[in-house]
Every structure is written in structure tokens, then in C-alpha cells.
Amino acid sequence: MPGLRYLLFLGCVIPYRLSSYEISARKVLEKLGVELVEMPEFNCCGFPMDPINHDLMLTLATRNLCLAEKQNLNILTLCNGCFSILNETNKMLEGDKELREKTNGYLKEIGMEFKGTIKVKHLVHVLAEDVGFEKIKDAVKNPLTNLHVAQHGGCHIVRPAKYLGHGDDPENPTMLKNLVRLTGAECLNYMDETECCGNPIIGVNEDVPFQMAREKLGHVKAVKAQALITVCPFCHMMYDLNQPRIERNFNEKFGIPVLHYTQLLGLAMGFPPEELVLNELRVKPAELLSQIS
Amino acid sequence: MSETQEYTPTIIKAEELDPKFKYKLSKMPGAEKLMLCFQCGTCTADCPISRFSDFYRPRKIARMVQLGLKDRLLSDDALWLCSTCFTCVDHCPQGVEIAGIVRVLRNLTVREKGVMPIVFKELASNILRTGYVYQIPESRHKRREMQGLPTLPKPNLEDVKKMFRITGSSGILETVQTFDKVKS
Ligand code: SF4
Ligand code: SF4
């Protein structure tokens, strides 16, 4: 399979509301020599349908895997949800003959067959494992040595551990932290780093996710992080888009800008903030930007 | 929070129990290990949702499944509070996949009781109509063009429709009863 060439699985939520993530990701990946091939066609990864019908999820997910197999390309996702469902399905079908036959039975109806010939990777894995730290370090022209930030990698790039196979420890993940450090910024430790963002249930209950996010933002604030770095659109929305509401609900002030990792890396690579669409963030990173120019 | 509440033991009537329930469930992918739960409570202790909810307790779900309290489980809205963080799955000393069991129970609720939170019905209808789980407005497509982004890949709606049908999801969407929010 070709070196740094991937089928970009953009998913639904990024084009729906977070083009800042897509634009900054495309910019930094291009500069790092990663070639992105667009999906020839598309349907939702299946993640949102798992709660109501597991077989529907499997079929939706596997259809996307089959599209990638046809192109003989590994998939790159920017979203933890897409990554986890596509990767998990890929691994489950590889390892479970019965499930594979059942799913292929469904797929036969639409003229497709799962073969198990490609891999699914999240942006973080592509950067840490395929592009490699050396190459990223070389691309950092403007090290962000004045910054100290915190990261939230999210659940679905490390859990459940049995399907991951990417060598990061779910109890103490370090991949994203090391990637943050490559930008020159200090990556701070804080309490309960691996705690879930809560976004998956926001459609049925807002109270619990808001309390979870409030707690997280509080822990991030306690170590005086200047920003929180995410790699998932759902986590990002939870902490950025919802931050003003959380502040109002709990009568607390956080004011923590939440950047997509690709925006942080982009700044370190010397891209101007406008090109990385930092202006689209809900919590404005003005103070942070004043520290780096 | 629950520490301050007085403890009233739950009364379970023998006729409520479905002794075959656990065998049926343990054949479903994700719930295979349910019999191995020895009620240590690790899942509840480490569950982020349980910390903020008075009703959601994964250990209790595992016990109720073993006892065969099918009707209570399938009519309990709290099932929909699991955020699928998979912490319980990674921490269970017995390898029980609580998140998998919860998913199986949710699927059963939809199939057997014909009920689901309204948000899932909306998301499913979006996928059926557009291939995307959120309907991408025309303005977004235009904006992409202005921003120099490639056009979004087109869905194959015929295939999407077929996938809903062959997995038994289209019929359900027409008849399903919905509820709005779940209290925590
Ligand atoms: S952690 Fe596992 S064994 Fe312990 S109560 Fe939960 S499901 Fe049962
Ligand atoms: S997967 Fe669900 S039950 Fe398990 S710890 Fe996370 S929220 Fe709790």
C-alpha cells in the first residue's frame, strides 16, 4: 500500500459544523506530505445507529470499509466516533468468521463484500506512527515555547483497548501529549485527563454532560492551561461550543480556548491564524495568539 | 446525590423474572460474558455517568440481566444514559462488556417495545434522507466552495435505503414510539 496516501473519511459532524478542523487538518497534512484522497461516495459511519440497531451500524460501517478496500487505501479519520466504529468493525470482522459471514450476507444485497484488506487510522495515529515525530519536528518553524496547554484525546481513540492495536495506553495515553510537545508548547498534566466528554448522550440528557464538561474545564483551569487541545469534533463541541452555556449554568468563568490539534500544529508550522480558521472558535483565543506572534 | 437518600430495598416478585433472559442475551454480540459478573462494582465506581446520575448504575444493570428482570430493564429510560466511553469494558476484572450489554438492551427495547429516544429517530431519518447523520444545509455546501474545499462525497441513497430495510430498521422507524429527554 502506498506510503502517506489515505482515503479521507470526513464523517458528518465536521462538514456540518466544524470546518475549522477540516481546513486546518488539510493544511498541515499537505505540508507534511500526506496525500488525502476524497471518498468516492459516502454514508454515515454508523456510530449513531449502534444504540438502535447493531446490524444497521455494522452494515453502514462495513460499506465504507468496502469502498476503501476497492481503492486499496487505508482510511484516515479526524473524528473519534468514525475512527472507533470503523476500526472496531474492521477488527471484529477480521477476527470473527461468523459475524463476517452475517455482515457479508447483508452487503451482498448491495453488491459488496468485506475482505479485510485495509486499516483504519485516526489523525493522531497517522501523525505519530506514519508521518513520524522527526518529520513533524522539522516542519515546526515557529515553536510555541511560550505556551502551556492541556490535551483531551477522548475515549474513542483508546477504548475499548482490545480493538485499538495502536500501542497507546488507555489509562495513561501519551500519543497526543507527545504530539502537542512537538509544537514546542508545554503539555500540562491535570486531574482526570481520560474522563469522557459526555457528548454522546447530549441528545437525551444535557445535565450530566454539562456537569462532566464543567468538571473537566475546572481541572484544566486549575493547572492554568492557556488552551485545551482536542482531536475529535464531539469533544471539541462539548468544550468550545458549549462553554459559554456551561459558564452561565454554573455561574463560573473558564475562558479556555479549545483548539483542534491541527490548529496548534499549524501555528507551530508557521501558518497564519486566519488560514487555520481560529476565528471560528466560540471561545476566542486572542490572548493565546498574542503570546506567540 | 444518592448517599443522602435513605435506602429502600427493591422488592422483586418471582413472576417478574425471566430465567431464560440471560441465556438469550449471552448469545448476542457484546453481551457474551454477562454470566461472569460477580458484582464487584468496578464498573459503577469508574463510570463517569454514574457519578452525576442518581439512576444510572452499570453494576445494577448486570445483576438485573442475570436475574432476568427483562421488563424492568427494557422500560428503564436510564439505559440511554450510557455515553459509551468503554471505561467499564476496559476495567471489568471479569471481562464483562457492560457497554455491550447496554447496547444489546437498547437494541431490544427498540425491537421488542418499539420505543426509542426521539433524537435517534431524527438521526436515522437524516441518514435515510441524506446519507449524513446531520442534514448539511445548502449554505454549507456553498461555503465549502468559497473556502476552496472539495465537494462533499455524494451518498448512495438507494443503498442506504436497502441497508435500513435488510437490517430490519425501516419498518421500526415508521411505527416507533418516542420519548424526549431522560432524567438523571
Ligand atoms: S466490573 Fe464487571 S464483574 Fe464487576 S460488577 Fe461490573 S460487570 Fe460485574
Ligand atoms: S461505557 Fe457506559 S456504563 Fe461503561 S463506564 Fe462508560 S458511561 Fe458508564
Side-chain angles (χ1 to χ4, degrees):
Chain A
M1 220 167 267
L4 293 174
R5 196 156 177 260
Y6 304 87
L7 193 61
L8 173 66
F9 192 88
L10 202 52
C12 304
V13 71
I14 294 173
Y16 181 60
R17 355 187 46 143
L18 283 176
S19 43
S20 52
Y21 191 15
E22 179 185 352
I23 292 170
S24 54
R26 286 186 188 272
K27 290 252 154 77
V28 300
L29 288 171
E30 193 193 343
K31 198 134 205 193
L32 291 168
V34 176
E35 189 191 337
L36 298 175
V37 177
E38 305 303 316
M39 289 284 287
E41 46 158 305
F42 169 88
N43 59 254
C44 165
C45 70
F47 182 88
M49 295 296 99
D50 200 27
I52 61 170
N53 185 335
H54 189 57
D55 284 5
L56 175 60
M57 177 287 278
L58 282 173
T59 314
L60 290 168
T62 313
R63 188 178 185 280
N64 287 313
L65 296 171
C66 292
L67 291 173
E69 288 180 353
K70 270 195 200 152
Q71 311 250 332
N72 196 30
L73 285 173
N74 289 331
I75 287 176
L76 183 158
T77 78
L78 302 176
C79 169
N80 287 14
C82 301
F83 166 73
S84 94
I85 229 66
L86 295 174
N87 181 56
E88 202 174 309
T89 303
N90 205 26
K91 296 256 163 90
M92 282 195 297
L93 297 190
E94 272 171 18
D96 184 339
K97 201 166 155 253
E98 210 176 299
L99 192 70
R100 181 174 172 154
E101 276 167 12
K102 184 180 170 194
T103 312
N104 271 334
Y106 288 132
L107 288 166
K108 214 171 152 194
E109 306 264 329
I110 52 168
M112 291 197 179
E113 190 194 354
F114 172 85
K115 300 200 174 71
T117 52
I118 58 119
K119 287 198 179 74
V120 181
K121 296 191 166 208
H122 185 280
L123 167 88
V124 163
H125 309 127
V126 167
L127 290 174
E129 294 169 345
D130 299 355
V131 175
F133 287 0
E134 282 312 310
K135 201 164 172 185
I136 300 174
K137 222 187 273 168
D138 288 345
V140 169
K141 303 281 178 254
N142 178 28
L144 310 172
T145 36
N146 280 343
L147 296 190
H148 39 275
V149 302
Q151 56 78 46
H152 168 86
C155 307
H156 290 138
I157 49 167
V158 285
R159 294 194 196 282
K162 74 169 182 181
Y163 293 121
L164 187 73
H166 279 277
D168 211 357
D169 176 2
E171 305 309 325
N172 183 20
T174 53
M175 233 178 231
L176 179 56
K177 278 190 170 169
N178 291 332
L179 286 171
V180 167
R181 289 183 184 121
L182 288 181
T183 66
E186 187 184 346
C187 190
L188 301 164
N189 300 319
Y190 63 94
M191 182 110 135
D192 291 338
E193 281 174 24
T194 55
E195 198 85 327
C196 172
C197 73
N199 200 335
I201 63 161
I202 205 154
V204 295
N205 178 296
E206 283 187 345
D207 293 347
V208 173
F210 276 16
Q211 289 181 75
M212 289 162 78
R214 172 211 188 190
E215 196 180 70
K216 170 80 68 172
L217 291 167
H219 291 328
V220 168
K221 193 182 169 188
V223 296
K224 303 197 169 61
Q226 290 160 301
L228 181 63
I229 309 302
T230 63
V231 286
C232 169
F234 290 98
C235 305
H236 189 273
M237 289 195 299
M238 202 59 225
Y239 301 129
D240 180 55
L241 205 63
N242 286 321
Q243 198 176 130
R245 265 186 77 197
I246 295 167
E247 289 181 332
R248 269 199 309 279
N249 285 6
F250 295 100
N251 196 18
E252 262 172 86
K253 184 85 191 121
F254 297 111
I256 299 168
V258 187
L259 272 64
H260 310 293
Y261 174 70
T262 45
Q263 292 181 316
L264 186 80
L265 179 60
L267 289 171
M269 285 165 70
F271 285 101
E274 315 80 69
E275 277 192 38
L276 302 166
V277 207
L278 277 121
N279 58 316
E280 274 187 20
L281 298 177
R282 178 65 61 95
V283 183
K284 299 299 169 206
E287 211 181 299
L288 178 131
L289 290 177
S290 71
Q291 305 259 325
I292 60 173
S293 39
Chain B
M1 283 236 173
S2 47
E3 292 89 47
T4 56
Q5 288 171 2
E6 221 171 280
Y7 177 67
T8 30
T10 316
I11 295 165
I12 301 167
K13 299 204 181 93
E15 56 268 29
E16 279 184 79
L17 307 176
D18 175 353
K20 298 255 168 65
F21 189 55
K22 61 180 178 225
Y23 303 120
K24 200 175 120 195
L25 235 61
S26 64
K27 291 210 180 66
M28 300 185 178
E32 296 94 339
K33 305 269 183 64
L34 69 89
M35 248 92 86
L36 297 180
C37 170
F38 53 22
Q39 289 290 295
C40 69
T42 304
C43 49
T44 293
D46 293 351
C47 172
I49 303 297
S50 298
R51 289 179 44 221
F52 296 107
S53 161
D54 289 338
F55 309 111
Y56 187 72
R57 298 287 180 269
R59 173 173 73 162
K60 192 169 159 198
I61 292 172
R63 191 67 191 132
M64 287 169 77
V65 167
Q66 289 176 333
L67 286 170
L69 286 165
K70 183 180 166 185
D71 280 333
R72 285 203 204 192
L73 281 162
L74 300 195
S75 52
D76 185 359
D77 288 359
L79 267 189
W80 299 89
L81 289 175
C82 167
S83 76
T84 66
C85 73
F86 299 118
T87 308
C88 55
V89 175
D90 282 351
H91 289 187
C92 173
Q94 291 293 85
V96 179
E97 296 177 27
I98 285 283
I101 295 176
V102 171
R103 192 249 302 138
V104 165
L105 291 169
R106 287 172 172 182
N107 281 198
L108 267 186
T109 305
V110 174
R111 209 163 57 229
E112 294 192 7
K113 301 263 167 190
V115 185
M116 65 171 86
I118 194 159
V119 59
F120 290 105
K121 189 179 175 183
E122 290 165 0
L123 299 177
S125 325
N126 286 344
I127 298 178
L128 259 175
R129 260 206 327 272
T130 71
Y132 289 76
V133 76
Y134 303 106
Q135 195 169 347
I136 318 271
E138 204 32 55
S139 56
R140 274 276 165 187
H141 290 288
K142 290 227 178 74
R143 201 137 160 258
R144 292 184 68 82
E145 229 182 285
M146 271 160 50
Q147 291 171 316
L149 291 170
T151 4
L152 287 174
K154 295 257 176 313
N156 181 330
L157 290 178
E158 212 171 291
D159 277 9
V160 171
K161 231 177 263 161
K162 261 193 206 155
M163 288 188 279
F164 270 74
R165 203 189 59 235
I166 56 187
T167 56
S169 308
S170 3
I172 289 170
L173 285 181
E174 279 152 31
T175 54
V176 76
Q177 302 284 310
T178 56
F179 56 93
D180 193 3
K181 299 287 179 216
V182 174
K183 75 177 178 186
S184 52

